[in-house]
Amino acid sequence: MKRTYGLELTNNSKVSWAFSLPRSKTCIDATEICKKLCYGRGIRYQSQAQKDKRERNYRTVELLLKNGGPELLAQNLVHLIDSARPRDWLTSKLMKTKPDVPWTLRIHDVGDFYSTDYSRAWQIAVCERPECDFWFYTRSFQTPAVYKSLGELASLPNCQGWLSVDADNLSQGLLALCNQPAARWKLAILQSKDLQLEHLQDAIPEIGKANIINFPYHHGGRNIAAFNQQVVTSCPAIVGDLKLTNDPHTSRPCQLCSYCLPG
């Protein structure tokens, strides 16, 4: 029997723990390129169980927001965050050693921020768990109210926000960076055949190479030729430097690399 409500994380072989929502209901500023190339279209995300989980998460989020606002949703998100804590977290703190894996959570490996109340709930929850490192990529920077709210989330010391851009929304993403100079935004590029390095040449020196990450489009274990690494850093898990793993007690590529994480 299918459950109607309940929040649940996804254990991702690249990022470790992540929260997911349905793209059709939450990717409010998705571009045509994003819709076409999104890895949420990949086979591992298309099982009925994965689809049901995302829909159930969304229904639960909406129910909690309707009945108790961001504060009630945040309480439930904190419980979810705690479930991602490494098994030896408390003993490691007592012994002053490192846990088996870092305590991290990616907000959305599928889906995006779609309302101010929803983003506010995450802001409250992230504040409640300062020892957990959070990060997210978003295209919701063309919806002013949501982007303003996300700026507060991205400014928290244990959360890194990335504006996700491609050939369709690059200029809007660069403008959004300029409009929130106080927030800790960085730039994540979806490199497709439609985007050339020349399109970024003027922006890179101003933004800084360390504040940009490139994701060459990949499918079926293959990716398009990445931009010059001397100019733009490409994701090591895509270009082959780090391998995916399903071992829950081994750090995943994103945790090992930590380029996209706060700090």
Side-chain angles (χ1 to χ4, degrees), residues 5-255:
Y5 295 103
L7 299 177
E8 187 178 353
L9 296 177
T10 297
N11 201 327
N12 186 304
S13 61
K14 179 174 180 283
V15 309
S16 188
W17 294 107
F19 186 66
S20 306
L21 290 173
R23 293 176 296 143
S24 60
K25 294 182 172 70
T26 64
C27 293
I28 56 176
D29 288 332
T31 65
E32 290 305 312
I33 290 177
C34 175
K35 292 175 184 178
K36 180 180 178 181
L37 303 184
C38 176
Y39 64 80
R41 294 166 56 95
I43 189 169
R44 64 177 173 173
Y45 293 100
Q46 296 308 307
S47 71
Q48 194 58 52
Q50 289 293 331
K51 291 180 180 179
D52 289 345
K53 180 196 298 185
R54 295 194 293 271
E55 291 291 341
R56 187 167 56 248
N57 281 344
Y58 178 77
R59 283 195 301 270
T60 305
V61 165
E62 286 294 286
L63 179 71
L64 294 171
L65 287 175
K66 180 179 179 180
N67 287 276
E71 292 76 15
L72 180 59
L73 174 56
Q75 291 177 22
N76 286 266
L77 291 176
V78 167
H79 176 74
L80 204 63
I81 294 163
D82 286 345
S83 72
R85 191 164 53 186
R87 60 179 179 176
D88 60 340
W89 177 260
L90 293 178
T91 55
S92 294
K93 288 191 68 175
L94 290 172
M95 301 298 292
K96 294 181 170 51
T97 59
K98 288 186 177 181
D100 290 340
V101 296
W103 187 9
T104 67
L105 179 65
R106 174 174 166 179
I107 308 174
H108 308 137
D109 61 342
V110 177
D112 206 341
F113 294 93
Y114 64 95
S115 74
T116 55
D117 281 350
Y118 176 64
S119 59
R120 171 60 180 159
W122 273 109
Q123 182 189 353
I124 296 170
V126 170
C127 284
E128 287 287 322
R129 289 297 179 265
E131 293 179 291
C132 181
D133 284 336
F134 301 83
W135 82 104
F136 66 91
Y137 310 91
T138 184
R139 292 170 182 266
S140 299
F141 50 81
Q142 296 189 69
T143 302
V146 175
Y147 182 47
K148 181 180 179 181
S149 180
L150 287 177
E152 298 176 4
L153 175 60
S155 296
L156 296 175
N158 60 325
C159 186
Q160 181 60 62
W162 295 82
L163 300 185
S164 184
V165 299
D166 54 45
D168 284 346
N169 69 348
L170 176 60
S171 59
Q172 293 92 333
L174 294 176
L175 180 61
L177 274 177
C178 297
N179 288 339
Q180 281 199 18
R184 297 170 59 249
W185 290 111
K186 296 185 179 183
L187 195 70
I189 302 165
L190 172 57
Q191 181 194 346
S192 67
K193 61 181 179 59
D194 304 290
L195 185 65
Q196 303 300 318
L197 187 56
E198 289 74 20
H199 299 153
L200 297 161
Q201 292 283 27
D202 293 337
I204 292 173
E206 185 171 346
I207 299 171
K209 181 184 176 184
N211 296 320
I212 303 173
I213 185 70
N214 180 46
F215 294 95
Y217 173 64
H218 59 289
H219 180 73
R222 297 181 179 181
N223 58 270
I224 64 174
F227 291 147
N228 188 331
Q229 286 279 72
Q230 298 299 316
V231 181
V232 180
T233 300
S234 292
C235 173
I238 294 178
V239 298
D241 298 327
L242 293 173
K243 302 301 181 184
L244 305 181
T245 176
N246 289 314
D247 185 348
H249 307 305
T250 300
S251 293
R252 307 298 169 85
C254 289
Q255 294 172 317

